[in-house]
Each structure stands twice: as structure tokens, then as C-alpha cells.
Amino acid sequence: MAGKRAQRDQLTQRMEQPGFWDNPEKAQQTIQQLKPLNALLNPFQELNAAGEDLQTMAELAEEDGELEAELEGELGHFEKRFGEFELQSMLSGPQDASNAYVRIQAGAGGTEACDWAEMLMRMYVRWAERHRLQVDMVDQLRNEEAGIRSATLLVKGDYAFGNLQSESGVHRLVRISPFDANARRQTSFAAVDVTPDIEGTINIEIADADLKRDTFRSGGPGGQHQNKTESGVRYTHKPTGIAAESRSERSQHKNDAAAMALLKSKLYRVEELKRKAEVEKLYDEKGEVAWGYQIRNYVMQPYTLVKDARTGVETAQIQKVLDGELDDFIDAFLRHKAEKEHKKK
């Protein structure tokens, strides 16, 4: 914690310097760096003080037995606060406090997979609502019959990325297909990719020569505007093949800005993964989530079960999970990740 305190002190001193707000972009970067440090250090200091109070109460309880019941109650409260702090301490990455882009991509399987992708999109929207986070639709490509081929959400709020990073990977669904007249059991796949919203926190420079910009008609239901103007924008980073697009706004200018912000987010995420030697597992040469493994299985037939392949956490309450109750899976992933990083050290 000493290193974290020193880092916070340096950032606080920087904010106290004259002219700090002369460069709003750098000022915002400093504030974003300070946010996760305060979220970790403030509860740590409070727990230290509470621990000292408990020690004093325990000494008094040895002399006065009537204080034992009160001590037990305070211990229970302390344990709860410590558990919350323990989870918070796992969200100390450089971008964990950021907003999050969540991209859902239907896998092979036609309408069945597109319907599953839309179910996942709804699941993340409901999770965000439970945590009072805002969700903006950046891009959505609907399937003609039902569901979505792909969608990108921007989840806004403290630690959106830190929590939702657990969802990156392939999600597998087994159920009786509602689109099969013979009511056969089907397996569907959809991929989820979560990247931090780095706009205003990190400066990513992209050479113009490395960019390919395409415009397209937004398509989808409603509006002559969508049919007559190419308001959708897609940017492709030539060296990596990574692409990002936006079609949700009527204004091409707004879609352009949204697509560029998403592209920078993806490029930042790739660099982070490269440093962890994991990019080969999550990205293929086209920059999209690679198929071939799943992080979580959702079974609706012949029994109900949701099981995370990485942590082993499971529940039979599949409808609750699809309604956004993901915290058990997220908490287990953060603990699993922290344990792996501790072993590497």
C-alpha cells in the first residue's frame, strides 16, 4: 500500500500546481488515475481505524462480558466491509475504473445464434441497470428474422470495465430451439469482447496512413434518412486489421467520433494483452474474438445450469443470470485473476 499512497500523493500534488486546468485533457487523465487509488486507499484507511476500534472493544469485553454481544455484531460488520475491500483491491488495474465497450457477435448458426447474441445483450443491459450504470448503443446490426448479428454497447459508470472484463470470450447456449418446428435441441455460440473506454485518459496516436475509413448506409428499421445517406462509419487499422464501426447516430460526424474512440479502445486492449502474452488466445489476425473455446456454458435443456469454465462457479438459476445476476461470476473471476497474478510474482 505504501507504493499506492506515494502514487496518490504525487497525483494530488500535481493537481495542486498552478495551471493544472490549463490543459483539460491532461487534467482529466490525472483525475482518472487518481480515482482507483482513492477507491482503494480510503477504505483501507477506514478499515485500519475500525480494526483498532475492534481491538479496544475486545480488550474491554474481557473485563465486561456484557460487551461480547456488541463485539460480535461489530465483527460481522467488519468482515463484510473487509470482503468488499478485498474485491475492490482486485480492481486496481490502470483502466479498471473506466467505462466499458461491450461488443457481442453472433457465431455460426444463423437465426439461432443471432437470438442468443440478443439475449446476451439484454443480460448485460440488465446487469448495468442493477448497478445503476448508463448504457448507450454504439452500434447494432439486426438479423432479418430475429436477434442481432452484432452490437456494441458503451457501459458508463465507475469500474464498468473492471467488472465486465470477466465477460470477454465465447458464450455457449444449449436449449430447445424456438425456431425449429421439430423442437430439437440446439447449441449456439456468441462472442463477447470487452474493452475500456480510454477517451480522455490515454492518448493513442494512429498514423493516417494506417487507417482505412469506410462509410455505409446504416440500414435497419425506420427512417428515409438511413436509406439515403451513408451515415455509418467504419475504421480499419491496417497493420492489425482491427476494425470498429458505429451506425447508431444519424450524424456521420457523431458516428465517426464514436468509431474512432472504439478503435482506440481496441488497440489499447490489444497492447495490454500483448504485454500479458494472451493476445493469441483472444484475438485472431482480423482483430475479432477467436472461436474455439468457451468461458461459460448456459444449459436450458434437458436441465438448467450456468457454469463458468474458468472458475467452476455454477448455478441452476439460469433465468436469474440472463436477467443480469452476474455478480457471483464476476467476483469469482476477479479472485481467480488475482490468484494467478499473485502466483506469477
Side-chain angles (χ1 to χ4, degrees), residues 198-229:
I198 63 171
E199 196 69 18
T201 61
I202 292 180
N203 187 26
I204 298 288
E205 296 291 342
I206 305 175
D208 291 341
D210 290 340
L211 282 177
K212 178 186 176 185
R213 182 181 186 273
D214 297 303
T215 59
F216 53 90
R217 294 180 182 179
S218 293
Q224 294 179 348
H225 169 87
Q226 289 182 327
N227 295 328
K228 291 184 178 180
T229 64

Side-chain angles (χ1 to χ4, degrees), residues 127 136 250 288 304 342:
W127 177 85
D136 293 344
R250 287 181 176 271
E288 298 298 337
T304 59
H342 180 71

Side-chain angles (χ1 to χ4, degrees), residues 26 57 95 112 159 165 169 180 183 196 209 297 299 320 333 339:
K26 285 188 176 180
M57 186 179 290
Q95 290 299 315
E112 183 73 33
Y159 294 94
Q165 62 182 305
D180 188 339
N297 294 294
V299 181
K320 288 185 177 181
F333 172 83
E339 289 173 4

Side-chain angles (χ1 to χ4, degrees), residues 192-265:
V192 176
D193 191 23
V194 182
T195 55
D197 175 17
I198 63 171
E199 196 69 18
T201 61
I202 292 180
N203 187 26
I204 298 288
E205 296 291 342
I206 305 175
D208 291 341
D210 290 340
L211 282 177
K212 178 186 176 185
R213 182 181 186 273
D214 297 303
T215 59
F216 53 90
R217 294 180 182 179
S218 293
Q224 294 179 348
H225 169 87
Q226 289 182 327
N227 295 328
K228 291 184 178 180
T229 64
E230 295 191 338
S231 60
V233 177
R234 179 186 300 108
Y235 276 110
T236 305
H237 186 242
K238 295 178 183 177
T240 61
I242 293 175
E245 60 188 41
S246 175
R247 74 187 78 219
S248 61
E249 301 287 346
R250 287 181 176 271
S251 162
Q252 186 181 107
H253 177 73
K254 289 182 178 180
N255 281 328
D256 187 288
M260 178 57 70
L262 178 56
L263 179 64
K264 288 181 178 180
S265 171

Side-chain angles (χ1 to χ4, degrees), residues 103-107 114 117 141-144 146-151:
R103 177 174 172 80
I104 303 107
Q105 176 75 48
C114 292
L141 182 59
R142 298 203 62 82
N143 184 48
E144 292 182 2
I148 57 171
R149 297 180 188 177
S150 64

Side-chain angles (χ1 to χ4, degrees), residues 67-311:
L67 289 174
E68 289 184 2
E70 183 180 352
L71 177 62
E72 288 182 7
E74 290 297 323
L75 278 171
H77 182 59
F78 181 84
E79 288 176 357
K80 181 180 178 182
R81 289 174 63 189
F82 182 80
E84 293 171 350
F85 168 76
E86 190 178 27
L87 282 174
Q88 186 66 48
S89 68
M90 298 172 191
L91 294 173
S92 57
Q95 290 299 315
D96 282 353
S98 301
N99 300 332
Y101 287 104
V102 181
R103 177 174 172 80
I104 303 107
Q105 176 75 48
T111 298
E112 183 73 33
C114 292
D115 186 58
W116 171 225
E118 186 169 39
M119 291 168 65
L120 285 174
M121 181 177 72
R122 175 185 176 276
M123 181 177 75
Y124 295 125
V125 170
R126 294 297 299 273
W127 177 85
E129 290 172 348
R130 288 174 181 271
H131 291 269
R132 299 181 180 178
L133 304 178
Q134 179 183 337
V135 180
D136 293 344
M137 180 70 71
V138 176
D139 182 71
Q140 182 178 208
L141 182 59
R142 298 203 62 82
N143 184 48
E144 292 182 2
E145 185 175 350
I148 57 171
R149 297 180 188 177
S150 64
T152 301
L153 308 174
L154 175 57
V155 182
K156 297 180 179 179
D158 290 347
Y159 294 94
F161 173 71
N163 284 291
L164 287 172
Q165 62 182 305
S166 65
E167 300 305 297
S168 285
V170 176
H171 296 246
R172 172 177 172 262
L173 172 69
V174 179
R175 64 170 175 174
I176 299 296
S177 172
F179 306 100
D180 188 339
N182 296 317
R184 290 172 292 191
R185 192 168 62 175
Q186 299 284 347
T187 299
S188 306
F189 294 91
V192 176
D193 191 23
V194 182
T195 55
D197 175 17
I198 63 171
E199 196 69 18
T201 61
I202 292 180
N203 187 26
I204 298 288
E205 296 291 342
I206 305 175
D208 291 341
D210 290 340
L211 282 177
K212 178 186 176 185
R213 182 181 186 273
D214 297 303
T215 59
F216 53 90
R217 294 180 182 179
S218 293
Q224 294 179 348
H225 169 87
Q226 289 182 327
N227 295 328
K228 291 184 178 180
T229 64
E230 295 191 338
S231 60
V233 177
R234 179 186 300 108
Y235 276 110
T236 305
H237 186 242
K238 295 178 183 177
T240 61
I242 293 175
E245 60 188 41
S246 175
R247 74 187 78 219
S248 61
E249 301 287 346
R250 287 181 176 271
S251 162
Q252 186 181 107
H253 177 73
K254 289 182 178 180
N255 281 328
D256 187 288
M260 178 57 70
L262 178 56
L263 179 64
K264 288 181 178 180
S265 171
K266 286 189 173 186
L267 289 174
Y268 173 82
R269 177 67 169 154
V270 168
E271 289 305 311
E272 283 290 290
L273 290 169
K274 281 181 179 177
R275 283 194 284 271
K276 295 179 180 179
E278 293 180 358
V279 69
E280 294 82 5
K281 292 194 295 182
L282 293 181
Y283 288 87
D284 62 15
E285 71 275 5
K286 295 181 181 179
E288 298 298 337
V289 176
W291 307 108
Y293 73 103
Q294 60 261 10
I295 63 164
R296 195 174 300 145
N297 294 294
Y298 306 72
V299 181
M300 302 182 79
Q301 294 289 342
Y303 51 86
T304 59
L305 179 70
V306 183
K307 183 171 183 178
D308 196 288
R310 301 159 300 178
T311 64

